Amino acid sequence: NSERRRQTSGVEMTAEEIEEALAAVVDAVPGVSGIWVLDRDGITILGTGEQLPAEAAGAGNRTIPLQASFALAADQVSKLQLGTCRSITALYPSVVLVLVSAGPLVVMILGEADADPETLMAVAPRIQAALAPVQTTIEAQ
C-alpha cells in the first residue's frame, strides 16, 4: 500500500521512503545483500534486497524461528554479565547474518558469503537512523 505512513515529531515518511533508504545502504556497502526489519513477533515489517534462504528461515520463508533464535541467543549471551546484547553475528557457508536489536525491532542484515562482518555491523547506525520514525511510532502504541 503506497499510502502506508509512519509519523513522528511532525515528520512523515512512507514505508517506501524508508525502504529506499535501506536500499541505498544495500547499494552503497560492499557485501550487503539485504536488510529486513522484523517486529517483536518476528513478522517482517519492511525490507529490501535478498531474503534469508528459505531453508534457513523455516517453512514458507517465515522469520519467526529466526526471531525466536535471536531472543534466546541474546538472553544467553547477556548472562556473561557484560551488558545487554545488542547484536549477534553468524557466519554460514552461503551467507553472513547480522541481527541487531533496534528498540522494539530487530534488524536483519544479510551479507554475501565473503562479506566482512565488521562492515555489516558498521552500517547498523545508518539503518537505525532510517528506522527512527518506525521505532517512535511502535513505542508510542
Side-chain angles (χ1 to χ4, degrees):
N1 183 346
S2 64
E3 294 303 315
R4 295 182 296 170
R5 293 213 169 266
R6 311 291 185 211
Q7 185 172 5
T8 179
S9 306
V11 176
E12 277 191 13
M13 290 184 72
T14 64
E16 288 78 13
E17 290 169 329
I18 295 169
E19 287 178 335
E20 287 173 12
L22 297 177
V25 173
V26 171
D27 292 340
V29 180
V32 176
S33 59
I35 301 171
W36 296 91
V37 180
L38 313 171
D39 69 7
R40 65 187 72 163
D41 297 321
I43 305 300
T44 300
I45 295 174
L46 48 82
T48 188
E50 292 183 24
Q51 294 186 10
L52 192 63
E55 63 274 8
N61 205 21
R62 294 174 33 216
T63 56
I64 293 171
L66 175 69
Q67 173 68 4
S69 297
F70 175 73
L72 289 170
D75 182 56
Q76 291 301 310
V77 171
S78 292
K79 290 179 181 179
L80 295 173
Q81 299 181 3
L82 297 173
T84 303
C85 178
R86 296 180 296 183
S87 67
I88 294 175
T89 301
L91 308 175
Y92 295 98
S94 62
V95 68
V96 176
L97 175 64
V98 177
L99 300 169
V100 180
S101 177
L105 306 172
V106 174
V107 176
M108 178 173 61
I109 305 169
L110 293 171
E112 298 165 1
D114 60 350
D116 177 21
E118 289 183 33
T119 300
L120 300 183
M121 280 300 304
V123 302
R126 289 172 60 184
I127 297 167
Q128 289 172 317
L131 292 176
V134 178
Q135 290 172 302
T136 303
T137 300
I138 291 173
E139 289 170 351
Q141 294 178 354

